[in-house]
Amino acid sequence: MPQYLVGFSPRLSGEVPISTAKNAVLPILAAALLTQEEIILYKTPDLTDVKHMLGILRSCGAEVTEEKGSVRVRAVNVNSPGENALLRTMRASVLIMGPLLARAGECCLSMPGGCAIGQRPIDLHLKGLQKLGAKVAQEGGTVQVSGLLKGANIYLDFPSVGATENLIMAAVLAKGVTRIENAAKEPEIIDLCKMLGLMGARIAGAGTANIMIEGVERLHGAEYTPIPDRIEAGTLACAAALTEGSVLLEGARSDHMRALLFKLTESGVICQEDARGLRLRGKARHPMEARTLSYPGFPTDMQAPLMVVATQTHGLSVFLETIFENRYMHVVELRRLGAHIRVEGQLALIQGGRTLNGTAVTATDLRAAAALMLAGLAAQGQTTVADPAGHLARGYEGLEEKLSALGASARRLDAPANLTKKPGNDGEFMATN
Ligand code: EPU
């Protein structure tokens, strides 16, 4: 079982490179199923989720070659993946539905289950595919979509990131024009559309709420380096703000991180963009208010890390989680460390200024795992973060190593640490990407 040992670590300093974005790489890998030709992705991060997606592509008939830091995918013929445990445990598996349907006229998948942070249905994906002419049949835990796709006007009831990506990938090979209204505007959507553009797709409006796709006969191979991970960069920015650090996040795109940087700046941190990336100096001192929203609003994936920062400010911070219905699981663990946090439905009230004391805590999802690592930096003594489901390595490329490179005491333990774990949170863990 992965476990991490984190010690009190004031004033992080130095430079760390930001890895390529998990949530950009996963849909781009799914897009490789749209062509017979070879796709090459550079700077692919060493993450469990990426490995799982490559496994899923293999089970769809693609040939996958991993080289140091890059991946080649060639999907000469494609098929539905069949029974594969990765499909149920990895939420992003649903992103192969649009490409397989567009390319092969059908796709049969195990439904990605609910997960720790919320139910996460795929109704918007299916409704959009039906608009494009697909027949949808659901039986037991399986969903089958089939049919020849024709361009259509689609309105998304909510700007779902995954549904927007799936529908774009389905529409690029559909006959005619598709318009998606109320589309998600995340940078990862723009990145996917850039890659699809290099493959020969015709897409306008990516990054806005109205995306237009003109279907083409076929797509071809392409090479691409996806964007840096704004959530990894944000997590490290929170580590700097928490410890009164002075840190350069090499390659970070501050234009993708505006909402977080406004929060940190209001709280007293100096955030400066320069040619090499993003520099942060100083400590977050003032309490903050954060409401999670779709991009460009404050990202739900940053809620847990920023909450840790809020525990060390002077005063009462107010957070509102509006995207996922169960994304406060880290609160119980932060309380074990001594944080004063009250949760009322979607609302969390964080009383800052309480001393945190290291103890044993458990990661319940990916961003909760990262938040607990940060809390360990601010807690007196040692904190052991148990991560039975391996959440951290799903979405962060060596977070403990990057924190250590900035002077933190943080390492992965191979053997269980000699600390007593309080009972609780030992149920089944599921995927959260
Ligand atoms: N939703 C529906 N029906 C749908 C689709 C979504 O009700 O058909 C709801 C979800 O249940 C949720 C909300 O809409 O309450 C947002 O879901 P969305 O589809 O936008 O999220 P996603 O595509 O499943 C991606 C990221 C998440 C990130 C969210 C929100 C990937 C692989 N995952 O998930 O990342 O939190 O967007 O920004 O891109 C993470 O990296 O830790 C992570 C969870």
Side-chain angles (χ1 to χ4, degrees), residues 169-366:
M169 291 190 279
V172 286
L173 292 179
K175 229 180 172 45
V177 173
T178 297
R179 288 187 181 80
I180 306 175
E181 287 178 57
N182 200 26
K185 302 182 207 136
E186 270 70 0
E188 292 77 14
I189 306 273
I190 302 178
D191 218 37
L192 170 65
C193 291
K194 275 194 184 157
M195 175 61 172
L196 290 168
L198 292 174
M199 292 165 71
R202 295 198 189 130
I203 305 172
T208 76
N210 294 300
I211 300 180
M212 194 181 81
I213 304 121
E214 195 186 329
V216 295
E217 283 276 307
R218 65 180 56 80
L219 297 179
H220 50 75
E223 304 179 14
Y224 195 58
T225 305
I227 49 172
D229 195 318
R230 64 193 166 101
I231 307 300
E232 185 205 38
T235 303
L236 290 163
C238 285
L242 183 67
T243 62
E244 198 168 1
S246 173
V247 161
L248 169 69
L249 305 177
E250 227 183 305
R253 291 272 306 260
S254 32
D255 56 325
H256 293 166
M257 300 166 63
R258 290 275 176 247
L260 173 70
L261 297 182
F262 273 117
K263 295 290 149 206
L264 293 179
T265 305
E266 278 171 10
S267 187
V269 180
I270 299 166
C271 308
Q272 282 169 333
E273 185 182 348
D274 72 21
R276 295 190 56 210
L278 173 64
R279 288 179 193 276
L280 296 118
R281 250 181 320 120
K283 180 154 171 39
R285 295 183 193 282
H286 310 298
M288 41 193 122
E289 287 182 12
R291 173 196 295 253
T292 64
L293 289 169
S294 300
Y295 191 86
F298 182 78
T300 175
D301 294 342
M302 286 310 309
Q303 179 255 108
L306 189 70
M307 186 178 288
V308 177
V309 179
T311 67
Q312 299 305 296
T313 59
H314 307 297
L316 184 72
S317 291
V318 182
F319 281 33
L320 191 69
E321 171 60 56
T322 76
I323 304 293
F324 289 109
E325 61 271 30
N326 192 25
R327 219 175 192 185
Y328 281 140
M329 285 177 298
H330 47 283
V331 167
V332 174
E333 301 301 303
L334 292 177
R335 284 193 197 125
R336 288 188 205 286
L337 293 164
H340 278 225
I341 304 170
R342 204 172 104 207
V343 172
E344 295 275 351
Q346 294 176 295
L347 197 70
L349 303 173
I350 304 111
Q351 183 60 59
R354 307 288 167 147
T355 303
L356 302 183
N357 288 298
T359 186
V361 289
T362 303
T364 49
D365 65 79
L366 167 58

Side-chain angles (χ1 to χ4, degrees), residues 41 50 69 97 136 149 168 198 203 228 264 315 332 334 365 387 414:
L41 286 196
V50 171
M97 191 182 277
V136 175
L149 304 184
I168 291 171
L198 292 174
I203 305 172
L264 293 179
V332 174
L334 292 177
D365 65 79
D387 187 8
D414 287 329

Side-chain angles (χ1 to χ4, degrees), residues 137-169:
Q138 280 174 270
E139 209 188 298
T142 304
V143 60
Q144 175 147 29
V145 288
S146 57
L148 269 186
L149 304 184
K150 254 179 81 183
N153 292 340
I154 300 170
Y155 174 82
L156 289 177
D157 294 325
F158 178 84
S160 153
V161 175
T164 303
E165 292 167 341
N166 235 339
L167 295 172
I168 291 171
M169 291 190 279

